[in-house]
């Protein structure tokens, strides 16, 4: 509680032109991007767990999940062999 109060006082002194009520608001676009990244990471994680369980059971093969295939694809790889 005290630490938050000191932080606010310091911020008000250091940045007098900034509205202190809006300093904690994160832009909606950033929140949306973070939510999308979390959702993608969760999907990749779940697909990796399913794949690992399948491999333990002897079902090896290509990843079936589009999220896992995309995560395993090298950066900049488009998937087509155009020259």
């Amino acid at each position: 509680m005290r630490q938050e109060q000191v932080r606010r006082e310091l911020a008000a002194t250091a940045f007098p032109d900034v509205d202190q009520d809006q300093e904690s608001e994160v832009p909606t676009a950033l929140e949306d991007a973070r939510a999308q990244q979390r959702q993608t990471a969760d999907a990749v994680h779940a697909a990796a767990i399913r794949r690992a369980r399948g491999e333990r059971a002897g079902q090896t093969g290509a990843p079936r999940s589009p999220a896992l295939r995309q995560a395993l694809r090298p950066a900049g790889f488009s998937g087509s062999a155009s020259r």
Side-chain angles (χ1 to χ4, degrees):
M1 182 83 164
R2 170 84 175 125
Q3 188 176 23
E4 181 67 19
Q5 180 183 0
V6 170
R7 188 194 65 78
R8 287 182 185 272
E9 290 172 4
L10 181 61
T13 304
F15 307 104
D17 296 338
V18 176
D19 183 12
Q20 298 302 316
D21 292 337
Q22 294 190 9
E23 77 175 17
S24 63
E25 291 183 18
V26 178
T28 304
L30 183 58
E31 289 177 357
D32 291 344
R34 286 181 179 160
Q36 180 64 38
Q37 287 174 342
R38 272 193 308 273
Q39 185 178 12
T40 302
D42 290 344
V44 169
H45 183 253
I49 290 173
R50 284 192 301 272
R51 180 178 179 203
R53 288 178 181 163
E55 287 176 355
R56 281 190 206 143
Q59 301 172 358
T60 59
R64 293 185 194 107
S65 168
L68 186 56
R69 278 195 300 271
Q70 185 176 4
L72 296 175
R73 185 176 299 149
F77 182 72
S78 66
S80 62
S82 60
R83 291 185 184 195

